[in-house]
Amino acid sequence: MSNRDTLAGCAALALWAFLAPLARLALPLPPLLLTALGFAAGGLLGLIVVAARGRLALLRQPPLAWLHGVGGLAGFHALYFAALALAPPVEANLLNYTWPLLIVLLSAPLRGLPLGPRRLLGVALGAAGAALLLAGGARFPAEALAGFACAIAAAFTWALYSVLAGRLARVPTEAVAGFCLASAALTFVAHLAWESAAMPGPRQWLAVLLLGLGPMGAAFFLWDIGMKRGDPRLLGTLGYATPVASTLLLIALGEGAFTWQVAAATALVAGGGVLAARA
C-alpha cells in the first residue's frame, strides 16, 4: 500500500465535500437528471484525457469489471436517491453514512487487512462525529421502512464497490471513464421514467461542468486509485470527514450556522482520523 495512493483517495474525499454546494447551485434540476449530467460530464472529460494519452483500448474490460464499475456507481446513486424519495432526508443520510464504517470492517474479510483496537476506535469516533452532525431530530417511522432499507443498501453498495476495487487491481483506472458514461445512460433513462423533463440554464450547466471536473469526475478516478493501491481502512475512517467538510463549506457560503454540534463533530472526526493514521 502506497502513501501517495492513499493521498489520492483523500483528495477524492475532499472533492466530495463540494457535492452538496454544487448540487445547490444546480437547483432546481431534478436529482436524477443532475446525476446523469454529472456522470456524463465526468465521463467525457475522463475520456478526453484517456484518448489524449492514447489509452482508449483500456476501456475494453471483461463483463465482471463493468458489473463492478457501473453497478457501484449507478447502483449507489439509484439507491441513495430512492432512499431520499421514500424516507426523511436526515434519517436517510444518516443511514447512508454507514459506508465509511462498512469499508473499514469489510477490509478484514475481503482484503485480509488487520484492524486493531486503535483503528476501530478511530472509526468509532468518526461515526460518532457524523451521527452528532446528521442525527439532530432524527426519527425512524415505520412507514419509511422501504426508504431506510434503500439507504442501508446504498451504504453496502458503495462499501462493496470500494473494497472490491482492490480485488480488481488489474482493471486500469482509465476504465472509470467508461463506467461513468454507462452510469450516465442508466440514470438518464431513470430520469425519463420517474422525473419531469427540465432544461438546464447557464447556472445549472456551470454546476454540471464543475461536478464533472470534481466530485463526479476526478473524484471517482482518485478514489479508484486509493482503493486499489492505498489503505482502505484509513480512507474509510477519513470518509467521515466528508459530511463535516461539506457542512463547513455550506456555512462558509451562508447556508447555515457554526454550532457546537459542528465544532464537536469536527473534533471527533479529526481525532478519529489521527488515531487511524497512527495505527
Side-chain angles (χ1 to χ4, degrees):
M1 288 179 289
S2 161
N3 288 337
R4 186 177 66 178
D5 295 324
T6 301
L7 284 174
C10 292
L13 294 173
L15 287 173
W16 282 327
F18 290 87
L19 183 61
L22 290 175
R24 293 188 68 81
L25 180 65
L27 290 174
L29 278 186
L32 284 174
L33 176 60
L34 177 59
T35 303
L37 292 175
F39 273 135
L44 285 172
L45 290 169
L47 195 66
I48 291 170
V49 174
V50 174
R53 298 175 65 189
R55 309 190 73 178
L56 280 176
L58 295 179
L59 296 182
R60 297 193 193 115
Q61 296 298 322
L64 181 61
W66 284 91
L67 178 63
H68 170 260
V70 179
L73 294 177
F76 166 75
H77 285 85
L79 287 165
Y80 180 58
F81 283 128
L84 292 177
L86 298 172
V90 170
E91 291 81 347
N93 217 24
L94 181 62
L95 292 174
N96 172 62
Y97 263 102
T98 56
W99 67 258
L101 174 63
L102 291 171
I103 285 177
V104 176
L105 296 180
L106 291 174
S107 294
L110 296 181
R111 298 279 293 273
L113 299 173
L115 297 179
R118 185 176 293 181
R119 197 178 300 277
L120 290 174
L121 178 58
V123 75
L125 287 175
L132 181 63
L133 183 68
L134 300 172
R139 299 290 185 272
F140 293 90
E143 58 269 22
L145 186 60
F148 299 146
C150 286
I152 294 172
F156 268 101
T157 298
W158 189 252
L160 285 170
Y161 166 76
S162 300
V163 177
L164 290 175
R167 304 289 293 270
L168 296 169
R170 291 187 177 182
V171 177
T173 295
E174 287 85 349
V176 173
F179 303 155
C180 285
L181 291 173
S183 298
L186 287 175
T187 48
F188 186 71
V189 170
H191 156 68
L192 294 177
W194 294 311
E195 292 178 340
S196 300
M199 178 59 68
R203 181 166 57 89
Q204 285 79 28
W205 281 120
L206 174 62
V208 167
L209 177 61
L210 292 174
L211 283 168
L213 285 170
M216 296 193 72
F220 292 140
F221 293 86
L222 291 166
W223 189 247
D224 188 73
I225 293 170
M227 280 291 144
K228 284 178 177 173
R229 300 191 290 274
D231 187 344
R233 301 161 300 177
L234 179 56
L235 289 172
T237 303
L238 294 177
Y240 283 114
T242 298
V244 175
S246 182
T247 300
L248 292 174
L249 277 172
L250 289 171
I251 291 171
L253 294 171
E255 297 284 344
F258 189 81
T259 63
W260 71 267
Q261 289 97 332
V262 175
T266 303
L268 285 167
V269 169
V274 170
L275 270 177
R278 295 183 65 184

mmCIF file of all heavy atoms in Angstrom, residues 236-264:
data_model
loop_
_atom_site.group_PDB
_atom_site.id
_atom_site.type_symbol
_atom_site.label_atom_id
_atom_site.label_comp_id
_atom_site.label_asym_id
_atom_site.label_seq_id
_atom_site.Cartn_x
_atom_site.Cartn_y
_atom_site.Cartn_z
ATOM 1 N N GLY A 236 -11.533 4.707 4.771
ATOM 2 C CA GLY A 236 -12.869 4.527 5.329
ATOM 3 C C GLY A 236 -13.079 5.401 6.546
ATOM 4 O O GLY A 236 -14.119 6.049 6.705
ATOM 5 N N THR A 237 -12.089 5.440 7.427
ATOM 6 C CA THR A 237 -12.195 6.280 8.623
ATOM 7 C C THR A 237 -12.292 7.750 8.238
ATOM 8 O O THR A 237 -13.122 8.501 8.773
ATOM 9 C CB THR A 237 -10.976 6.062 9.535
ATOM 10 O OG1 THR A 237 -10.882 4.673 9.867
ATOM 11 C CG2 THR A 237 -11.101 6.865 10.817
ATOM 12 N N LEU A 238 -11.458 8.183 7.301
ATOM 13 C CA LEU A 238 -11.460 9.585 6.884
ATOM 14 C C LEU A 238 -12.706 9.942 6.087
ATOM 15 O O LEU A 238 -12.993 11.127 5.886
ATOM 16 C CB LEU A 238 -10.209 9.883 6.060
ATOM 17 C CG LEU A 238 -8.880 9.787 6.817
ATOM 18 C CD1 LEU A 238 -7.714 10.037 5.867
ATOM 19 C CD2 LEU A 238 -8.842 10.771 7.975
ATOM 20 N N GLY A 239 -13.463 8.922 5.641
ATOM 21 C CA GLY A 239 -14.703 9.189 4.925
ATOM 22 C C GLY A 239 -15.689 10.004 5.742
ATOM 23 O O GLY A 239 -16.521 10.724 5.181
ATOM 24 N N TYR A 240 -15.594 9.913 7.062
ATOM 25 C CA TYR A 240 -16.500 10.685 7.910
ATOM 26 C C TYR A 240 -16.181 12.173 7.886
ATOM 27 O O TYR A 240 -16.970 12.988 8.373
ATOM 28 C CB TYR A 240 -16.462 10.154 9.344
ATOM 29 C CG TYR A 240 -17.246 8.879 9.504
ATOM 30 C CD1 TYR A 240 -16.627 7.680 9.812
ATOM 31 C CD2 TYR A 240 -18.622 8.865 9.310
ATOM 32 C CE1 TYR A 240 -17.351 6.502 9.938
ATOM 33 C CE2 TYR A 240 -19.354 7.694 9.427
ATOM 34 C CZ TYR A 240 -18.712 6.516 9.744
ATOM 35 O OH TYR A 240 -19.435 5.366 9.849
ATOM 36 N N ALA A 241 -15.028 12.549 7.330
ATOM 37 C CA ALA A 241 -14.711 13.979 7.200
ATOM 38 C C ALA A 241 -15.536 14.633 6.101
ATOM 39 O O ALA A 241 -15.706 15.861 6.111
ATOM 40 C CB ALA A 241 -13.222 14.156 6.900
ATOM 41 N N THR A 242 -16.073 13.844 5.159
ATOM 42 C CA THR A 242 -16.796 14.427 4.034
ATOM 43 C C THR A 242 -18.045 15.193 4.467
ATOM 44 O O THR A 242 -18.220 16.348 4.063
ATOM 45 C CB THR A 242 -17.145 13.340 3.003
ATOM 46 O OG1 THR A 242 -15.932 12.777 2.497
ATOM 47 C CG2 THR A 242 -17.925 13.920 1.848
ATOM 48 N N PRO A 243 -18.961 14.603 5.270
ATOM 49 C CA PRO A 243 -20.139 15.398 5.657
ATOM 50 C C PRO A 243 -19.773 16.607 6.509
ATOM 51 O O PRO A 243 -20.432 17.639 6.436
ATOM 52 C CB PRO A 243 -21.008 14.394 6.435
ATOM 53 C CG PRO A 243 -20.075 13.330 6.884
ATOM 54 C CD PRO A 243 -19.036 13.243 5.820
ATOM 55 N N VAL A 244 -18.711 16.486 7.319
ATOM 56 C CA VAL A 244 -18.293 17.623 8.145
ATOM 57 C C VAL A 244 -17.754 18.736 7.258
ATOM 58 O O VAL A 244 -18.130 19.915 7.397
ATOM 59 C CB VAL A 244 -17.227 17.174 9.173
ATOM 60 C CG1 VAL A 244 -16.691 18.372 9.945
ATOM 61 C CG2 VAL A 244 -17.819 16.155 10.137
ATOM 62 N N ALA A 245 -16.859 18.385 6.313
ATOM 63 C CA ALA A 245 -16.295 19.392 5.420
ATOM 64 C C ALA A 245 -17.378 20.023 4.553
ATOM 65 O O ALA A 245 -17.361 21.230 4.292
ATOM 66 C CB ALA A 245 -15.211 18.760 4.546
ATOM 67 N N SER A 246 -18.343 19.202 4.107
ATOM 68 C CA SER A 246 -19.437 19.724 3.303
ATOM 69 C C SER A 246 -20.265 20.726 4.103
ATOM 70 O O SER A 246 -20.646 21.792 3.592
ATOM 71 C CB SER A 246 -20.320 18.570 2.818
ATOM 72 O OG SER A 246 -21.362 19.053 2.009
ATOM 73 N N THR A 247 -20.528 20.404 5.363
ATOM 74 C CA THR A 247 -21.279 21.320 6.224
ATOM 75 C C THR A 247 -20.520 22.627 6.430
ATOM 76 O O THR A 247 -21.101 23.719 6.375
ATOM 77 C CB THR A 247 -21.553 20.654 7.592
ATOM 78 O OG1 THR A 247 -22.317 19.463 7.377
ATOM 79 C CG2 THR A 247 -22.338 21.586 8.503
ATOM 80 N N LEU A 248 -19.216 22.533 6.653
ATOM 81 C CA LEU A 248 -18.406 23.743 6.833
ATOM 82 C C LEU A 248 -18.409 24.608 5.577
ATOM 83 O O LEU A 248 -18.451 25.842 5.659
ATOM 84 C CB LEU A 248 -16.980 23.358 7.215
ATOM 85 C CG LEU A 248 -16.810 22.712 8.599
ATOM 86 C CD1 LEU A 248 -15.368 22.232 8.790
ATOM 87 C CD2 LEU A 248 -17.176 23.705 9.706
ATOM 88 N N LEU A 249 -18.381 23.973 4.393
ATOM 89 C CA LEU A 249 -18.444 24.731 3.144
ATOM 90 C C LEU A 249 -19.787 25.452 3.003
ATOM 91 O O LEU A 249 -19.837 26.619 2.599
ATOM 92 C CB LEU A 249 -18.243 23.794 1.954
ATOM 93 C CG LEU A 249 -16.802 23.458 1.572
ATOM 94 C CD1 LEU A 249 -16.787 22.376 0.500
ATOM 95 C CD2 LEU A 249 -16.080 24.701 1.064
ATOM 96 N N LEU A 250 -20.873 24.750 3.338
ATOM 97 C CA LEU A 250 -22.199 25.370 3.254
ATOM 98 C C LEU A 250 -22.301 26.543 4.224
ATOM 99 O O LEU A 250 -22.901 27.580 3.901
ATOM 100 C CB LEU A 250 -23.284 24.332 3.546
ATOM 101 C CG LEU A 250 -23.497 23.266 2.461
ATOM 102 C CD1 LEU A 250 -24.438 22.182 2.952
ATOM 103 C CD2 LEU A 250 -24.039 23.900 1.187
ATOM 104 N N ILE A 251 -21.711 26.402 5.414
ATOM 105 C CA ILE A 251 -21.706 27.506 6.384
ATOM 106 C C ILE A 251 -20.927 28.693 5.817
ATOM 107 O O ILE A 251 -21.356 29.848 5.914
ATOM 108 C CB ILE A 251 -21.107 27.040 7.726
ATOM 109 C CG1 ILE A 251 -22.059 26.041 8.408
ATOM 110 C CG2 ILE A 251 -20.840 28.228 8.653
ATOM 111 C CD1 ILE A 251 -21.452 25.364 9.624
ATOM 112 N N ALA A 252 -19.782 28.396 5.210
ATOM 113 C CA ALA A 252 -18.970 29.469 4.621
ATOM 114 C C ALA A 252 -19.715 30.193 3.505
ATOM 115 O O ALA A 252 -19.482 31.385 3.269
ATOM 116 C CB ALA A 252 -17.658 28.887 4.085
ATOM 117 N N LEU A 253 -20.628 29.484 2.827
ATOM 118 C CA LEU A 253 -21.412 30.083 1.748
ATOM 119 C C LEU A 253 -22.702 30.714 2.257
ATOM 120 O O LEU A 253 -23.559 31.115 1.468
ATOM 121 C CB LEU A 253 -21.736 29.021 0.688
ATOM 122 C CG LEU A 253 -20.533 28.461 -0.077
ATOM 123 C CD1 LEU A 253 -20.947 27.279 -0.928
ATOM 124 C CD2 LEU A 253 -19.902 29.556 -0.940
ATOM 125 N N GLY A 254 -22.843 30.785 3.600
ATOM 126 C CA GLY A 254 -24.014 31.413 4.189
ATOM 127 C C GLY A 254 -25.233 30.529 4.254
ATOM 128 O O GLY A 254 -26.363 31.017 4.430
ATOM 129 N N GLU A 255 -25.056 29.186 4.145
ATOM 130 C CA GLU A 255 -26.180 28.253 4.132
ATOM 131 C C GLU A 255 -26.451 27.632 5.500
ATOM 132 O O GLU A 255 -27.221 26.685 5.599
ATOM 133 C CB GLU A 255 -25.914 27.138 3.114
ATOM 134 C CG GLU A 255 -25.798 27.599 1.680
ATOM 135 C CD GLU A 255 -27.145 27.929 1.075
ATOM 136 O OE1 GLU A 255 -28.178 27.518 1.642
ATOM 137 O OE2 GLU A 255 -27.174 28.623 0.047
ATOM 138 N N GLY A 256 -25.805 28.115 6.539
ATOM 139 C CA GLY A 256 -26.020 27.539 7.866
ATOM 140 C C GLY A 256 -25.210 28.288 8.903
ATOM 141 O O GLY A 256 -24.529 29.272 8.604
ATOM 142 N N ALA A 257 -25.298 27.801 10.139
ATOM 143 C CA ALA A 257 -24.597 28.444 11.252
ATOM 144 C C ALA A 257 -23.594 27.471 11.862
ATOM 145 O O ALA A 257 -23.812 26.250 11.856
ATOM 146 C CB ALA A 257 -25.592 28.900 12.309
ATOM 147 N N PHE A 258 -22.504 28.021 12.384
ATOM 148 C CA PHE A 258 -21.487 27.192 13.042
ATOM 149 C C PHE A 258 -21.933 26.947 14.489
ATOM 150 O O PHE A 258 -21.831 27.813 15.349
ATOM 151 C CB PHE A 258 -20.125 27.888 13.006
ATOM 152 C CG PHE A 258 -18.991 27.007 13.470
ATOM 153 C CD1 PHE A 258 -18.425 26.076 12.608
ATOM 154 C CD2 PHE A 258 -18.508 27.091 14.765
ATOM 155 C CE1 PHE A 258 -17.393 25.252 13.031
ATOM 156 C CE2 PHE A 258 -17.469 26.278 15.194
ATOM 157 C CZ PHE A 258 -16.909 25.358 14.319
ATOM 158 N N THR A 259 -22.453 25.749 14.762
ATOM 159 C CA THR A 259 -22.998 25.409 16.074
ATOM 160 C C THR A 259 -22.009 24.538 16.844
ATOM 161 O O THR A 259 -20.993 24.092 16.307
ATOM 162 C CB THR A 259 -24.319 24.648 15.909
ATOM 163 O OG1 THR A 259 -24.048 23.415 15.221
ATOM 164 C CG2 THR A 259 -25.326 25.466 15.101
ATOM 165 N N TRP A 260 -22.351 24.266 18.086
ATOM 166 C CA TRP A 260 -21.486 23.404 18.892
ATOM 167 C C TRP A 260 -21.457 21.990 18.315
ATOM 168 O O TRP A 260 -20.447 21.293 18.429
ATOM 169 C CB TRP A 260 -21.946 23.383 20.347
ATOM 170 C CG TRP A 260 -23.235 22.636 20.604
ATOM 171 C CD1 TRP A 260 -24.484 23.154 20.638
ATOM 172 C CD2 TRP A 260 -23.366 21.229 20.845
ATOM 173 N NE1 TRP A 260 -25.411 22.156 20.877
ATOM 174 C CE2 TRP A 260 -24.752 20.970 21.018
ATOM 175 C CE3 TRP A 260 -22.457 20.172 20.924
ATOM 176 C CZ2 TRP A 260 -25.238 19.686 21.275
ATOM 177 C CZ3 TRP A 260 -22.945 18.894 21.182
ATOM 178 C CH2 TRP A 260 -24.323 18.664 21.353
ATOM 179 N N GLN A 261 -22.569 21.554 17.697
ATOM 180 C CA GLN A 261 -22.570 20.226 17.079
ATOM 181 C C GLN A 261 -21.549 20.139 15.949
ATOM 182 O O GLN A 261 -20.852 19.133 15.798
ATOM 183 C CB GLN A 261 -23.966 19.889 16.536
ATOM 184 C CG GLN A 261 -25.004 19.620 17.613
ATOM 185 C CD GLN A 261 -25.845 20.835 17.903
ATOM 186 O OE1 GLN A 261 -25.374 21.964 17.727
ATOM 187 N NE2 GLN A 261 -27.076 20.622 18.332
ATOM 188 N N VAL A 262 -21.464 21.209 15.138
ATOM 189 C CA VAL A 262 -20.493 21.224 14.038
ATOM 190 C C VAL A 262 -19.074 21.185 14.600
ATOM 191 O O VAL A 262 -18.208 20.439 14.100
ATOM 192 C CB VAL A 262 -20.698 22.470 13.157
ATOM 193 C CG1 VAL A 262 -19.618 22.562 12.082
ATOM 194 C CG2 VAL A 262 -22.082 22.451 12.509
ATOM 195 N N ALA A 263 -18.820 21.977 15.646
ATOM 196 C CA ALA A 263 -17.482 22.013 16.246
ATOM 197 C C ALA A 263 -17.115 20.659 16.844
ATOM 198 O O ALA A 263 -15.997 20.157 16.660
ATOM 199 C CB ALA A 263 -17.425 23.102 17.316
ATOM 200 N N ALA A 264 -18.065 20.042 17.566
ATOM 201 C CA ALA A 264 -17.786 18.748 18.192
ATOM 202 C C ALA A 264 -17.591 17.662 17.144
ATOM 203 O O ALA A 264 -16.709 16.803 17.278
ATOM 204 C CB ALA A 264 -18.929 18.382 19.140
#
